[in-house]
Amino acid sequence: MPQTDPKAIRAQLKKGELKNLYYIFGKNVPEVEKLTRHIIKAAVGDNEDFALNKLEGRYLDISELYDMIQMMPMMSDYNCILINDYNCERPREVMAGIKAEDVNKKLLDALKDIPPQTVVIFNVTGFEVPVKNDFKTGRSVIKDKNKKLFDYAAKVGEAVECPIKSENELAKDIAASVSARGSLISLDNARELADMCQSDTLTIRNEIDKLCSYAGKNEITSDILHNLVHRQSDATFYKLADAVAAFNKRAAFDALDELMQDRENRGAVLGNITASFIDMYRAACARQKGRQIADVKADFGYVWEFKVKNAFRDSSRMSIRRLRQCIAILRDTNIMLNSGSCDEKTVLEQTVTKMLMTKN
């Protein structure tokens, strides 16, 4: 079966049509999570405690997965298994002495024997699956090892990409969401909000909550947008932190240059960079104590799980000692910027250089 789209999947679910294998990914992470919830609901209803098994991809035990696949459902028509963030490029947290191809082959073998009473869902919310556009079909084609798993799901079940919507589509969604909260926004201002957030649905959702709280039952005007919404940059703070973790000097300075283009909000740059490293430090300490993503999310009150997942991923390349050094450098930078007049861009370039010189 060819690649389909979220709308088609929802239409199938409304008809009671449920497949035994799904692969869901895309840059529209909230849509990935939402579609996953719809499939789980269709499979097990309100019996998730008994009929749903949630597994982390990087810790996946394929023998254990095979046994789960063969289980009979409890208090539900289906036995449902959700596997989050299985990455065919790096299927294990520790890959020493292991070939990705061997692990992936065992996984595909296990998936060839899914009985009618089992639904297996792979979804990706914590890393980006690289794609290219096929101009003949108009479809996205995965460029790395994840393509084989995606293609198999497309053949025997459903393979779904949840891409970022166009600005016009997002504008209609934004207007509807604002209206549902009792406020008003014009389509032009909704399009501007989508542009300010670089069409990132996670950011848009957060900004809508903030804007509606401020505007109440009044209209969200262009002036309100400009006063309350920080225009996002293509180079995220997470990319800068990731580049420092990987000792990638060029990527780090490219990210910083992008961030510093927003001259009106330069003061927020250091704070956001620091927050990214604090996220990584928390994740590194949690990993050392055997704690998981869900533990960190609950302990520190994170709203978005993807932030914690990014922190777990990026911190795996940095020792706790190095993270402490970087946070100390950022602390000293903050003191310097608040103690007198100086060129912010120059100071931040020096800060990035110092962090790149730290050692694990």
Side-chain angles (χ1 to χ4, degrees):
M1 183 175 286
Q3 173 185 346
T4 187
D5 57 64
K7 188 176 180 180
I9 296 293
R10 290 194 181 91
Q12 292 174 8
L13 296 176
K14 284 183 179 180
K15 295 176 184 177
E17 299 174 3
L18 198 60
K19 303 300 172 65
N20 296 109
L21 180 62
Y22 292 89
Y23 186 95
I24 312 169
F25 81 105
K27 292 185 177 180
N28 192 342
V29 175
E31 181 69 16
V32 172
E33 294 175 337
K34 187 177 180 181
L35 185 58
T36 301
R37 289 195 298 272
H38 284 174
I39 297 170
I40 292 171
K41 182 73 173 178
V44 303
D46 296 325
N47 295 316
E48 290 189 19
D49 291 342
F50 298 98
L52 174 64
N53 285 293
K54 296 182 179 180
L55 306 173
E56 282 196 58
R58 59 181 178 165
Y59 300 122
L60 186 64
D61 184 318
I62 295 176
S63 296
E64 181 182 86
L65 172 64
Y66 182 83
D67 291 339
M68 285 184 181
I69 288 173
Q70 303 306 316
M71 288 172 59
M72 294 299 294
M74 293 181 62
M75 301 177 66
S76 173
D77 291 335
Y78 291 94
N79 167 37
C80 189
I81 303 168
L82 171 62
I83 304 164
N84 177 241
D85 286 347
Y86 180 88
N87 190 348
C88 294
E89 288 285 317
R90 188 183 177 87
R92 291 282 185 274
E93 176 76 4
V94 179
M95 291 294 295
I98 302 174
K99 292 183 178 180
E101 291 79 3
D102 294 340
V103 180
N104 295 332
K105 184 179 183 304
K106 290 179 181 178
L107 174 63
L108 290 174
D109 288 342
L111 297 176
K112 290 177 182 177
D113 195 20
I114 302 177
Q117 76 272 7
T118 298
V119 174
V120 180
I121 307 167
F122 287 85
N123 76 350
V124 178
T125 60
F127 66 93
E128 187 173 329
V129 178
V131 297
K132 63 180 179 180
N133 188 53
D134 185 333
F135 294 101
K136 290 183 179 179
T137 64
R139 299 281 191 178
S140 294
V141 178
I142 294 176
K143 297 192 295 183
D144 65 5
K145 291 185 176 72
N146 288 290
K147 183 177 185 299
K148 186 170 287 187
L149 178 56
F150 177 90
D151 288 346
Y152 183 72
K155 180 181 178 181
V156 304
E158 293 288 5
V160 191
E161 181 186 11
C162 299
I164 296 296
K165 295 181 179 180
S166 69
E167 282 190 5
N168 284 333
E169 291 173 322
L170 282 173
K172 292 178 182 178
D173 289 349
I174 289 168
S177 183
V178 168
S179 177
R181 288 167 169 79
S183 300
L184 296 171
I185 189 170
S186 69
L187 285 176
D188 284 341
N189 285 335
R191 274 189 288 271
E192 183 173 8
L193 176 59
D195 178 65
M196 293 174 80
C197 296
Q198 293 291 317
S199 297
D200 185 289
T201 48
L202 288 169
T203 305
I204 289 171
R205 186 193 300 178
N206 212 24
E207 295 296 346
I208 287 174
D209 289 340
K210 179 172 67 179
L211 291 165
C212 289
S213 295
Y214 178 83
K217 295 185 180 299
N218 299 315
E219 182 179 358
I220 297 171
T221 64
S222 180
D223 286 342
I224 291 175
L225 289 180
H226 286 248
N227 287 330
L228 295 185
V229 179
H230 170 59
R231 184 174 292 275
Q232 299 295 307
S233 171
D234 286 328
T236 69
F237 303 104
Y238 299 106
K239 288 182 180 178
L240 175 56
D242 183 52
V244 171
F247 296 99
N248 189 332
K249 180 179 178 181
R250 181 173 181 177
F253 280 101
D254 284 347
L256 181 60
D257 285 342
E258 292 259 359
L259 292 169
M260 296 304 290
Q261 293 300 313
D262 187 0
R263 295 181 179 276
E264 294 182 2
N265 291 285
R266 285 187 171 186
V269 172
L270 178 62
N272 282 282
I273 295 172
T274 303
S276 298
F277 275 87
I278 290 173
D279 290 341
M280 291 165 64
Y281 180 71
R282 288 170 174 169
C285 292
R287 183 186 291 108
Q288 188 181 68
K289 296 296 183 181
R291 306 281 281 176
Q292 304 298 320
I293 290 172
D295 299 319
V296 175
K297 183 182 176 185
D299 289 345
F300 294 99
Y302 284 96
V303 176
W304 305 116
E305 187 170 301
F306 82 95
K307 287 188 176 183
V308 188
K309 288 183 176 180
N310 285 346
F312 265 77
R313 180 197 64 207
D314 297 340
S315 65
S316 64
R317 290 180 288 186
M318 297 184 76
S319 67
I320 290 178
R321 187 179 71 86
R322 186 177 178 221
L323 283 164
R324 286 173 178 161
Q325 287 178 322
C326 288
I327 292 171
I329 291 169
L330 291 165
R331 176 204 62 201
D332 293 342
T333 301
N334 184 57
I335 293 171
M336 182 184 300
L337 289 175
N338 288 315
S339 297
S341 61
C342 53
D343 183 76
E344 293 171 341
K345 188 172 188 298
T346 300
V347 171
L348 287 173
E349 286 175 346
Q350 293 171 345
T351 298
V352 172
T353 300
K354 290 175 183 177
M355 290 193 294
L356 286 166
M357 293 173 66
T358 58
K359 297 179 180 179
N360 276 324

